[in-house]
Amino acid sequence: MKLLSVVVLTVVHLFPLIVTQTCTKNTTSKKLPWCLPKSYDKKKPPFLFDDEGQTMSIHYAFSIREVSEVTDSEQTLEIPMYFTVAWEDDRLEVDHTHTAWKKSTTGPVNESTEDAETLKLFWKPNLEIYGLQEFKKHNILNEMAGLRISRSKRITFDIKVTIVVSCQMDFNDYPFDEHTCFFQVGSYFYDKNSLTCTSEFHDPRSKSNIQERSLQHSVKFRKLRRSRGVVRLQSGDYAACG
């Protein structure tokens, strides 16, 4: 008589549990600073629900201390940065009387700091970095990222990354060659009739005592010229910032 062995496997989920903050009758009793209505559809962008039919604006912030590597043979730049994306979603329901907005308990006043995984609950802009070769996220115990929800229904996502982008280089004047490279971010799907953008640049060196590394190149950052604010493709014209 043969014995049949049965092996039972227990699957343990190591990923963080995301609590859905859906607005219910008990939301007030739980004292949540914000919640999502049951009709919220994260697959639909907020501007589809705007009665005035206005375009939606995405704001970017780039905090860059250096260009860590210039690879001549591949014509690429490696840029470590804090990459921030922010937008407003009026579909959120906010308890304006909540104490989270009045005290800087977890962040600035009028902002509620959330786990970065909470971003999965929201609609997110589908972004494109033009000339992107690699987008490397940084991790220690968890992904180095953060999320904040403001009292004015503004969603701000910040992440530490290293970005590798291509740049057309000309070495005719080597070893005194100079190159102008463009860093542009925009929407991958929605054109400028639906999504526009603004951006700002921060240089941590100007407000800290961070010592620069000795690199074999010198870099200067400039505001993206206005003529580069629109990327024209076969599928349409797209707003770009950088």
Side-chain angles (χ1 to χ4, degrees):
M1 181 177 181
K2 296 183 179 180
L3 296 177
L4 178 63
S5 300
V6 179
V7 179
V8 179
L9 297 179
T10 302
V11 179
V12 179
H13 295 278
L14 299 179
F15 300 99
L17 178 63
I18 304 174
V19 179
T20 304
Q21 296 201 158
T22 304
C23 301
T24 64
K25 293 181 180 180
N26 297 323
T27 300
T28 304
S29 63
K30 294 181 181 179
K31 296 183 178 180
L32 298 175
W34 61 270
C35 61
L36 298 173
K38 290 184 178 180
S39 60
Y40 187 87
D41 187 351
K42 66 179 183 180
K43 296 181 180 180
K44 302 294 183 182
F47 63 79
L48 293 181
F49 303 89
D50 186 356
D51 295 334
E52 298 179 2
Q54 297 180 351
T55 57
M56 182 178 178
S57 180
I58 306 295
H59 182 72
Y60 308 104
F62 317 108
S63 182
I64 305 174
R65 183 165 60 92
E66 66 179 20
V67 173
S68 59
E69 185 175 355
V70 178
T71 306
D72 297 347
S73 59
E74 298 180 4
Q75 298 193 33
T76 59
L77 307 178
E78 184 174 281
I79 313 172
M81 70 167 71
Y82 291 96
F83 184 78
T84 303
V85 188
W87 65 95
E88 292 183 1
D89 195 334
D90 288 331
R91 293 174 292 175
L92 273 68
E93 294 187 10
V94 172
D95 180 3
H96 291 280
T97 62
H98 199 282
T99 55
W101 312 122
K102 301 176 183 178
K103 299 179 180 180
S104 55
T105 305
T106 60
V109 177
N110 289 324
E111 292 188 359
S112 176
T113 302
E114 310 290 344
D115 188 277
E117 290 290 320
T118 308
L119 185 66
K120 294 180 180 179
L121 301 177
F122 301 104
W123 172 86
K124 302 178 289 294
N126 47 357
L127 305 181
E128 177 174 7
I129 299 176
Y130 296 97
L132 179 67
Q133 300 296 310
E134 192 172 0
F135 190 89
K136 297 183 286 188
K137 300 178 182 179
H138 292 246
N139 296 270
I140 301 181
L141 297 179
N142 293 303
E143 190 174 86
M144 297 175 65
L147 178 70
R148 285 178 178 167
I149 312 298
S150 78
R151 192 175 184 177
S152 60
K153 304 181 181 182
R154 186 177 181 87
I155 301 170
T156 302
F157 180 71
D158 182 87
I159 185 170
K160 175 68 181 296
V161 296
T162 297
I163 296 175
V164 179
V165 292
S166 61
C167 174
Q168 188 173 357
M169 301 179 183
D170 184 354
F171 300 100
N172 288 332
D173 296 327
Y174 180 84
F176 304 106
D177 49 300
E178 295 183 358
H179 314 282
T180 300
C181 304
F182 299 96
F183 180 79
Q184 296 168 286
V185 185
S187 171
Y188 179 78
F189 184 74
Y190 296 105
D191 63 20
K192 66 176 185 178
N193 296 313
S194 301
L195 282 182
T196 59
C197 63
T198 57
S199 65
E200 57 184 308
F201 169 75
H202 299 285
D203 184 354
R205 296 173 301 179
S206 61
K207 295 183 179 180
S208 67
N209 57 356
I210 297 177
Q211 186 175 2
E212 293 186 61
R213 297 189 299 164
S214 296
L215 301 173
Q216 296 181 345
H217 54 265
S218 175
V219 177
K220 293 182 179 180
F221 296 97
R222 295 200 302 263
K223 186 177 180 180
L224 187 69
R225 64 181 65 162
R226 183 173 297 181
S227 61
R228 291 273 176 173
V230 176
V231 176
R232 293 178 171 83
L233 303 174
Q234 185 177 1
S235 56
D237 293 348
Y238 299 84
C241 289

